[in-house]
Amino acid sequence: MNERKDCWKPQEDSLLAEVILEHIRSGSTQLAAFEEVGERLARTAAACGFRWNAVVRHSYLAAIKQAKLDRKAMKQAKHPRPIRLARTQPGGWSLERADTVIEQIRAYLIRSDELARQLKEMEDELDAKNRRIHELEEQLLLAGTGGPADSTLTEDFKKMLKLLERARLSGLLTDNFEQSQIS
């Protein structure tokens, strides 16, 4: 019996499932996943969608559910909602709602830990920059630039240059004297 050319192989089914689950986790669409798999397997997106819905999806129901939960947890960690409890009966709380509240608390804790880590990184960076500023200020003081003593030295240097220029113009300094001073 001859095998069909368009027959799906088990590794192609695995790739199809893997890519679709990743798209579900990331919040992307299944259509985008079908297109990606189609390009990778040289099949049409429609063929991938048909294969997924007709054959493969039924074997991955638990994985799909988990991927959706992962997506929801990531989304809540990024944008947590306020917690609101609703009574289902007088004196009782809904167990389903309690699970939702627990998920939200976990998402807040994850987000809180992430924000604390970011704050610590920013504080460390600020400390490092403050240390660098202090080092540069010390170097400036040691180099004698920018302070009042530096302006006095600059003025004295300018006066000395003017005196040397006058002496040269009046003929007191010769070219030989200037050459020996330069070398």
Side-chain angles (χ1 to χ4, degrees), residues 25-96:
R25 278 187 212 97
S26 69
S28 180
T29 64
Q30 287 185 14
L31 181 58
F34 298 152
E35 290 172 357
E36 180 181 334
V37 173
E39 287 177 16
R40 290 169 71 173
L41 297 179
R43 295 181 181 265
T44 65
C48 294
F50 181 80
R51 180 69 178 181
W52 172 253
N53 288 314
V55 179
V56 179
R57 179 172 55 90
H58 305 293
S59 302
Y60 287 90
L61 294 176
I64 293 168
K65 186 175 182 179
Q66 184 60 47
K68 289 178 179 179
L69 288 173
D70 293 346
R71 177 185 63 208
K72 185 176 181 181
M74 271 191 348
K75 189 175 181 181
Q76 285 179 343
K78 289 181 182 176
H79 306 288
R81 293 187 193 123
I83 297 173
R84 284 185 230 117
L85 294 176
R87 290 185 177 215
T88 55
Q89 307 169 2
W93 297 98
S94 161
L95 183 57
E96 182 180 308

Side-chain angles (χ1 to χ4, degrees), residues 31-154:
L31 181 58
F34 298 152
E35 290 172 357
E36 180 181 334
V37 173
E39 287 177 16
R40 290 169 71 173
L41 297 179
R43 295 181 181 265
T44 65
C48 294
F50 181 80
R51 180 69 178 181
W52 172 253
N53 288 314
V55 179
V56 179
R57 179 172 55 90
H58 305 293
S59 302
Y60 287 90
L61 294 176
I64 293 168
K65 186 175 182 179
Q66 184 60 47
K68 289 178 179 179
L69 288 173
D70 293 346
R71 177 185 63 208
K72 185 176 181 181
M74 271 191 348
K75 189 175 181 181
Q76 285 179 343
K78 289 181 182 176
H79 306 288
R81 293 187 193 123
I83 297 173
R84 284 185 230 117
L85 294 176
R87 290 185 177 215
T88 55
Q89 307 169 2
W93 297 98
S94 161
L95 183 57
E96 182 180 308
R97 186 66 183 146
D99 287 342
T100 304
V101 170
I102 290 170
E103 276 183 41
Q104 289 178 343
I105 290 171
R106 285 185 181 139
Y108 279 118
L109 291 174
I110 290 169
R111 183 69 177 147
S112 173
D113 289 346
E114 176 64 19
L115 290 173
R117 185 189 60 75
Q118 288 176 356
L119 178 62
K120 176 72 173 133
E121 286 176 3
M122 289 178 184
E123 287 173 343
D124 291 345
E125 186 179 341
L126 180 62
D127 288 343
K129 288 183 178 182
N130 282 335
R131 281 192 301 274
R132 181 66 180 143
I133 288 171
H134 183 70
E135 290 171 5
L136 291 173
E137 286 174 342
E138 286 181 357
Q139 287 177 2
L140 281 173
L141 287 175
L142 290 175
T145 57
D150 184 48
S151 62
T152 304
L153 288 174
T154 304

